[in-house]
Amino acid sequence: MEKMNAAVVTSFGEPPHYQPFDAPRPATVDEILVDVLAVGLHPRTRTGAAGAHYTSTGTLPMIPGIDAVGLRPDGKRIYFLAADDVIGTMADKAVADVRRSIELPDDVDVARVAAAMNPAMSAWVALRRRVPLEPGQSVLVLGATGNAGTMAVQVARRLGAGRVIGAGRDRGRLTALASAGADEVVQLTDDADETASRLAAAAAEADIVLDYLWGKPARQAMMALLTERSDRSRALNWIQIGAVAGPTMELPSVALRSANLRIQGNGQGAVSPGAYLAELPSLVDEIDAGTIAVKANRRPLAEVETIWAQPDVPGERTVLVP
Ligand SMILES: NC(=O)c1ccc[n+]([C@@H]2O[C@H](COP(=O)([O-])OP(=O)(O)OC[C@H]3O[C@@H](n4cnc5c(N)ncnc54)[C@H](OP(=O)(O)O)[C@@H]3O)[C@@H](O)[C@H]2O)c1
């Protein structure tokens, strides 16, 4: 059995250890073994490595990593989504399913692609496939200070939004959102009434909300927008994408009766794999061109154990390089 080095989780709750592991083998005609070039350390990757994602099987040992940039045997570089939750991409080698991969332009920066694809695709696919954005529409990004939220502001602007409002907690990152394309920002604070009135003033007429928070702040925002909306029969499309503020929400039934509120989610189960994949080449072009800005913090995979314990630098995405 061929050996490789990998980030290996042997106990949930502990960081992965860098150690030798059996190299995986392709099992179907659609699978190939690739050399991994760069892997993003996304929030979803951490949840999976903790055994806490809804797809987790509890199987150990496991290798984290939900996507990567890899080098095919024919010398072509690809971006691929990992199919297996147990043997992921944080390793020298990984199995890529050609039906879940796209070829990359020859000169593209692999670390930037590894850093940006996961956070950027959430808004890109949401506004292209889930609720196609109509030119000039108004978009509120709830949780705009994280990587995905900041990219969502840029994506909404790029796809033709007429007005983009970013809401989040961190004041410094909110200030930076203006240069990312936000027309207005709203700070989310512990003062619920003050936050609600600021959100209502800025975004009561929004057409689409991209929600990375869920939980209590999302419910408060939802009620604030609906209460102040001038025409409640005009559709408000609420797209649930992340849940950094809580996995559940207590939703008053009146919210669904008193307004044309449409709640749906966006993720790899909500859009077909084919539709998802079809969107990725244009997204790579945007990342490559810099219209979606990204700061990739390149770190050696061999140091994964210490890197795991370090908080992310705000506005940067850690990328592990084998
Ligand atoms: N469905 C999809 O396709 C998809 C794709 C990518 C990501 N996601 C999800 O989207 C979420 C964000 O991902 P990310 O890559 O942007 O992560 P990230 O870069 O780590 O950003 C997370 C941000 O969440 C904010 N935050 C945390 N707790 C909060 C709270 N209680 N209230 C308000 N803000 C809070 C923090 O902002 P402050 O600094 O302002 O506190 C932080 O910057 C995650 O849940 C991730 O799993 C979903």
Side-chain angles (χ1 to χ4, degrees):
M1 182 71 84
E2 188 188 349
K3 288 282 183 188
M4 63 177 185
N5 288 311
V8 182
V9 176
T10 52
S11 169
F12 294 127
E14 274 181 33
H17 308 290
Y18 184 71
Q19 62 185 59
F21 202 84
D22 291 340
R25 286 184 180 166
T28 72
V29 290
D30 293 312
E31 292 182 347
I32 50 170
L33 191 64
V34 299
D35 292 328
V36 176
L37 301 177
V39 189
L41 177 44
H42 312 300
R44 160 74 182 84
T45 308
R46 286 184 182 276
T47 314
H53 193 255
Y54 62 88
T55 58
S56 298
T57 58
T59 307
L60 288 175
M62 62 94 73
I63 297 175
I66 57 166
D67 64 352
V69 175
L71 183 68
R72 274 191 330 216
D74 65 359
K76 193 77 192 165
R77 296 183 302 175
I78 59 169
Y79 170 79
F80 64 102
L81 298 161
D84 189 343
D85 196 52
V86 178
I87 306 299
T89 54
M90 290 191 169
D92 292 340
K93 292 178 184 298
V95 167
D97 187 324
V98 295
R99 295 165 304 178
R100 294 165 63 85
S101 75
I102 55 163
E103 292 186 355
L104 295 174
D106 287 337
D107 52 356
V108 79
D109 182 321
V110 295
R112 282 165 46 81
V113 170
M117 287 299 277
N118 170 267
M121 74 173 69
S122 61
W124 185 270
V125 175
L127 295 180
R128 298 255 307 164
R129 297 281 175 163
R130 210 67 176 110
V131 181
L133 180 72
E134 291 169 25
Q137 282 191 316
S138 172
V139 176
L140 167 65
V141 180
L142 201 54
T145 46
N147 278 286
T150 301
M151 290 180 196
V153 169
Q154 298 167 70
V155 166
R157 182 58 79 207
R158 179 75 184 92
L159 293 179
R163 183 170 149 76
V164 184
I165 306 112
R169 294 188 304 191
D170 185 87
R171 187 182 289 277
R173 301 266 305 144
L174 280 175
T175 306
L177 279 181
S179 53
D183 297 291
E184 193 168 349
V185 295
V186 177
Q187 190 177 21
L188 306 176
T189 69
D190 291 338
D191 186 333
D193 291 341
E194 170 82 29
T195 299
S197 80
R198 282 201 205 133
L199 274 171
E205 307 305 332
D207 298 291
I208 296 175
V209 178
L210 300 174
D211 176 10
Y212 292 89
L213 301 180
W214 207 239
K216 201 169 163 190
R219 173 171 58 80
Q220 289 170 339
M222 195 179 275
M223 299 314 291
L225 264 56
L226 293 179
T227 305
E228 293 302 320
R229 205 164 175 75
S230 59
D231 176 5
R232 289 194 204 158
S233 66
R234 194 165 60 80
L236 175 59
N237 279 290
W238 198 282
I239 312 182
Q240 204 298 309
I241 300 177
V244 293
T248 59
M249 179 204 280
E250 193 174 310
L251 179 63
S253 62
V254 68
L256 293 160
R257 284 197 308 275
S258 64
N260 187 0
L261 173 64
R262 304 166 179 181
I263 305 176
Q264 53 190 309
N266 187 58
Q268 285 179 38
V271 174
S272 75
Y276 238 101
L277 210 63
E279 292 300 333
L280 300 189
S282 359
L283 188 52
V284 170
D285 290 345
E286 300 291 338
I287 294 164
D288 199 23
T291 35
I292 298 173
V294 52
K295 284 189 188 154
N297 181 9
R298 296 169 182 75
R299 305 290 300 276
L301 178 63
E303 292 173 19
V304 65
E305 193 166 334
T306 44
I307 291 167
W308 209 263
Q310 294 165 358
D312 290 332
V313 178
E316 293 187 5
R317 174 60 34 97
T318 299
V319 172
L320 299 175
V321 180

